[in-house]
Amino acid sequence: MSAGEAVAGPDGAPRCPWALSTADYVTYHDEEWGRAVHGDDALYERLSLEAFQSGLSWITILRRRPGFRTAFAGFEIAKVADFTDEDRERLLADTGIIRNRAKIDATIANARALAEWAPGDLDELIWSHAPDPAGRPVPGNLADVPAVTPESTALSKALKKRGLRFVGPTTAYALMQACGLVNDHLAACVARDSPSGGAPSGGA
């Protein structure tokens, strides 16, 4: 077996090797990652969490997700857009989230920008950048999985053009992977053939 190929999990089924370091990762990999997510609020949540993840491990964010959801009013765009200076200070003192001033400010600013969009615009914009799966080779190992693609670069530019922050091409591609716009489960992974179904599409 080459480095980076699918590895047998606790149940013997092969999985992407990154998914096997913790039980939290196994659940996330099997039930969420790569499954289609739709809805403006749900996509805003994923975009925000991917931005908070920048420079950190995803497990750090995953384990704090309940805290993030509580702190950011369930990531309802309309509610976060109405956050006040007092809310900002509350977030900066909240040990249940990542207390990064720039990322907190961006999350609030993004909600305010998105509140001006028509309903469904975020969903439509993000999904309009999904590449044709027929033109994508199936990754055999982790070395075959890109960190940035032309589509993620275009998505990043489109989001920035409409006023969003902390949405660089790498963050945009992580969003595309997590929300099912691309299928980056490895060829031998047990979740490869079922990433689009099974989990609710409106959120985690």
Side-chain angles (χ1 to χ4, degrees), residues 13-153:
R15 289 178 174 82
C16 302
W18 63 262
L20 298 176
S21 59
T22 73
D24 292 331
Y25 265 161
V26 173
T27 300
Y28 175 69
H29 167 273
D30 288 3
E31 299 179 5
E32 294 186 55
W33 193 74
R35 296 178 185 270
V37 174
H38 285 284
D40 290 347
D41 287 343
L43 288 166
Y44 165 65
E45 174 184 355
R46 301 301 181 90
L47 188 61
S48 300
L49 293 178
E50 294 293 350
F52 271 102
Q53 186 270 336
S54 179
L56 302 170
S57 66
W58 178 245
I59 195 64
T60 300
I61 304 302
L62 191 60
R63 288 174 172 168
R64 286 173 169 78
R65 185 161 57 173
F68 273 108
R69 286 175 167 168
T70 298
F72 284 98
F75 287 98
E76 292 185 39
I77 293 169
K79 290 183 178 180
V80 180
D82 285 337
F83 275 15
T84 63
D85 288 342
E86 288 74 19
D87 287 308
R88 180 174 176 273
E89 293 306 311
R90 168 181 59 81
L91 293 167
L92 288 169
D94 191 339
T95 58
I97 65 172
I98 304 301
R99 294 176 292 173
N100 180 293
R101 186 182 302 272
K103 293 176 182 179
I104 288 171
D105 286 349
T107 303
I108 296 172
N110 287 349
R112 290 172 179 167
L114 290 169
E116 300 299 319
W117 297 22
D121 272 6
L122 180 62
D123 189 303
E124 181 178 356
L125 186 151
I126 288 175
W127 278 91
S128 72
H129 289 81
D132 181 356
R136 288 176 55 83
V138 177
N141 57 59
L142 294 182
D144 297 331
V145 179
V148 176
T149 63
E151 292 85 2
S152 76
T153 299

